[in-house]
Amino acid sequence: MRNKVIAGNWKMNNDLNGTVNLISELKKGVNDQTKATVIVCPPFTSLETAQTLLKDSLIKFGAQNMYFEESGAFTGEISPSMLKSVGCEYVILGHSERRTIFGETDQIINKKIKTAIKHNLKPIFCIGETLEEREKGITFEVCERQVRFGLEGLTEAELSTMIIAYEPVWAIGTGKTATNEQAQEVHAFIRKLVAKLLSENFAQNLVIQYGGSVKPENAKELLAQPDIDGALVGGACLKADSFLKIIDAA
Ligand code: 13P
């Protein structure tokens, strides 16, 4: 049985004040009755504060990105050991906004996944097709390429902490959610592909989250699909009330 994992990707939102407010509200709603694993991913500048605030909480936290080098002349970048030093457990890698706005390729993302794992950071590896790719009928092809390249050179044991997040780009921040059937179809495809690349046992234990306009109104049905094991939430995670409703739905 795979446990549901609900993660909030804050993106470029919340200064320190906003971080204190949002985490304080979330802490009131997440307790030992909460069945899902809950993760928040604030911006870099809030991670140390998150660590302090979440010390005695069940809520876990991670970063939204990371560079693949250990240290050196990489102006503006953050290394895996920097993330470890503020207590990060997870790191989102390969988000479509990183791919499209910041030009991250499958090869760069593969290097990042390798480095994260080497430093005991759990990758939340994002994949997903654009609207153009869906309309061309190449959704599976695109997802397969992203998964194959992303996981290249990594063993089952190394990938044991990885989560995959399927986020159709056309559903991100648009209010347009994939239908339950559309999401389930791709999730099942990813699980089959991973079984082929690694093993059936690994694939059965792999957590595959859905992301793209998840909100309290659609969370329950999406999360009831057999291959949807959680959600990576953007907009709706910025308000404690709606994020907690999604956690409840899980
Ligand atoms: P929205 O929930 O705002 O569509 O964002 C999804 C996302 O990109 C999470 O990583």
Side-chain angles (χ1 to χ4, degrees), residues 44 73-78:
F44 291 132
F74 303 103
T75 301
E77 292 296 323
I78 300 280

Side-chain angles (χ1 to χ4, degrees), residues 20-236:
V20 173
N21 291 339
L22 181 51
I23 290 186
S24 309
E25 287 301 310
L26 291 176
K27 277 168 72 176
K28 291 183 205 157
V30 176
N31 50 46
D32 53 11
Q33 301 297 305
T34 308
K35 293 215 180 79
T37 299
V38 179
I39 306 167
V40 292
C41 298
F44 291 132
T45 47
S46 292
L47 290 173
E48 195 179 352
T49 300
Q51 180 185 34
T52 308
L53 294 170
L54 294 174
K55 208 159 264 161
D56 303 311
S57 164
L58 290 170
I59 303 173
K60 299 163 181 294
F61 71 99
Q64 299 170 19
N65 182 31
M66 173 204 91
Y67 198 52
F68 55 75
E69 294 285 356
E70 186 46 51
S71 63
F74 303 103
T75 301
E77 292 296 323
I78 300 280
S79 79
S81 52
M82 290 171 188
L83 296 184
K84 287 303 282 185
S85 75
V86 290
C88 279
E89 184 174 342
Y90 294 88
V91 59
I92 298 174
L93 296 173
H95 192 279
S96 68
E97 286 146 21
R98 299 296 320 170
R99 292 177 191 261
T100 55
I101 306 172
F102 302 99
E104 289 193 12
T105 60
D106 290 321
Q107 285 75 10
I108 290 175
I109 295 158
N110 176 249
K111 279 191 192 176
K112 289 188 174 191
I113 295 176
K114 284 181 175 151
T115 313
I117 288 168
K118 204 168 115 202
H119 286 81
N120 287 320
L121 285 157
K122 300 174 180 168
I124 301 177
F125 168 38
C126 303
I127 62 161
E129 81 288 0
T130 61
L131 181 59
E132 198 189 344
E133 289 163 341
R134 175 160 284 264
E135 284 173 347
K136 270 197 209 149
I138 56 170
T139 296
F140 291 150
E141 214 174 290
V142 170
C143 291
E144 173 157 356
R145 189 204 73 224
Q146 291 172 338
V147 171
R148 276 185 186 275
F149 276 109
L151 307 188
E152 200 172 71
L154 286 154
T155 66
E156 218 176 293
E158 287 167 328
L159 291 167
S160 62
T161 61
M162 175 192 63
I163 292 171
I164 290 183
Y166 168 60
E167 301 202 304
V169 180
W170 48 272
I172 296 179
T174 58
K176 239 193 245 170
T177 323
T179 63
N180 302 327
E181 295 72 29
Q182 282 172 324
Q184 164 57 27
E185 186 187 31
V186 182
H187 280 238
F189 172 79
I190 296 165
R191 200 177 303 285
K192 259 207 203 111
L193 172 64
V194 169
K196 209 164 63 184
L197 296 175
L198 296 161
S199 76
E200 183 60 38
N201 182 52
F202 180 91
Q204 285 309 322
N205 289 308
L206 174 68
V207 170
I208 308 177
Q209 294 176 315
Y210 170 78
S213 299
V214 176
K215 34 190 183 238
E217 298 76 42
N218 60 23
K220 201 167 175 178
E221 280 194 37
L222 281 163
L223 292 166
Q225 302 304 311
D227 287 292
I228 301 185
D229 310 313
L232 183 54
V233 186

